[in-house]
Amino acid sequence: TISHNLLDNNKVEIIRGQVSKFTLEQIKDLVKDCDAVVCCLGHNISFKGIFGPPYNLVFQTVKKITKAILPNCNTKFILMSTTAYTNKKIGEKNTIGEKIIFSFLKLFLPPHRDNMNACDYLLYKLGAENNIDWIAVRPDSLIDETNKSAYEVFELKKRSPIFNPGKTSRINVSQFIADLIMDEQLWFLWNHNTPVIYN
């Protein structure tokens, strides 16, 4: 459902379609004049949404978008990820219990595997050497709140997403993403990284 605030805003253009069926050329046409692209894709929380196609929705879309914006190094790309992702490049480690549970989730829960593959693609395929600026924002358990509140951002997870999860409001995630896009110093601080955000 799209809010009336967006529908009535003459600065907002809404394009409807199944992004998983968009060709690379269609994606290129959508992002060609963008200063920033934010990917907040997820799977529907239903049996069909979790276990049915498209199985690699986020991963394949991230690949298409980053290929589409690759020639334009001034376009920023932000992926909304999750604290379920462990960034081993910066020394994050999972406990034995977390390793067991995450292994089961990756094996039996296609959306979890999809999200992990999407972030892996940014971290290991694109890295920092490629001609594209990207950040994967990792909120903890998402909650709905009406107003923005204080939040903290860290390089490493401070809590176990399995055994001691924190909370992050969607509106705070939105604010942080907007700040990343608008604030060049903040972008430089987190470029090619996976910041964790908690309320």
Side-chain angles (χ1 to χ4, degrees):
T1 304
I2 301 172
S3 73
H4 288 290
N5 288 339
L6 287 179
L7 288 172
D8 298 335
N9 191 326
N10 60 12
K11 294 183 179 179
V12 175
E13 179 186 3
I14 297 173
I15 298 168
R16 298 178 184 271
Q18 290 182 264
V19 71
S20 61
K21 295 183 179 180
F22 284 15
T23 65
L24 180 58
E25 291 306 312
Q26 286 175 301
I27 297 288
K28 283 181 178 179
D29 189 54
L30 287 174
V31 305
K32 63 183 177 183
D33 298 318
C34 294
D35 296 316
V37 178
V38 181
C39 179
C40 300
L41 280 176
H43 295 255
N44 290 328
I45 306 303
S46 64
F47 185 85
K48 183 179 178 182
I50 293 173
F51 296 104
Y55 302 105
N56 299 307
L57 172 67
V58 183
F59 172 60
Q60 291 297 339
T61 304
V62 166
K63 282 180 67 176
K64 283 182 186 176
I65 292 173
T66 51
K67 284 181 180 178
I69 66 177
L70 189 57
N72 181 5
C73 61
N74 294 319
T75 302
K76 300 169 180 174
F77 177 72
I78 297 177
L79 171 67
M80 184 169 162
S81 187
T82 168
T83 51
Y85 184 80
T86 302
N87 186 342
K88 297 175 183 176
K89 268 195 170 183
I90 56 175
E92 278 188 339
K93 296 179 181 178
N94 293 318
T95 64
I96 293 175
E98 288 169 340
K99 287 178 181 178
I100 292 171
I101 292 174
F102 283 143
S103 295
F104 273 100
L105 290 176
K106 197 168 185 179
L107 191 62
F108 296 111
L109 203 62
H112 176 77
R113 181 169 59 249
D114 184 24
N115 288 324
M116 299 307 101
N117 289 340
C119 212
D120 273 347
Y121 180 80
L122 293 178
L123 203 61
Y124 296 102
K125 181 68 176 178
L126 293 185
E129 297 76 30
N130 223 301
N131 190 28
I132 184 170
D133 290 337
W134 62 266
I135 294 173
V137 175
R138 293 186 291 166
D140 213 331
S141 302
L142 287 168
I143 59 171
D144 288 321
E145 288 186 344
T146 305
N147 299 312
K148 293 177 287 185
S149 61
Y151 62 84
E152 296 179 294
V153 181
F154 302 96
E155 184 178 25
L156 302 170
K157 289 183 275 190
K158 297 297 180 183
R159 309 170 69 107
S160 167
I162 299 293
F163 301 110
N164 183 32
K167 296 185 186 304
T168 314
S169 65
R170 288 178 173 86
I171 195 169
N172 281 348
V173 177
S174 299
Q175 183 62 59
F176 179 52
I177 288 174
D179 289 342
L180 284 170
I181 294 169
M182 301 301 294
D183 187 329
E184 290 297 332
Q185 287 187 326
L186 188 64
W187 182 270
F188 181 77
L189 177 65
W190 294 111
N191 193 17
H192 303 132
N193 212 328
T194 57
V196 178
I197 175 172
Y198 300 106
N199 279 10

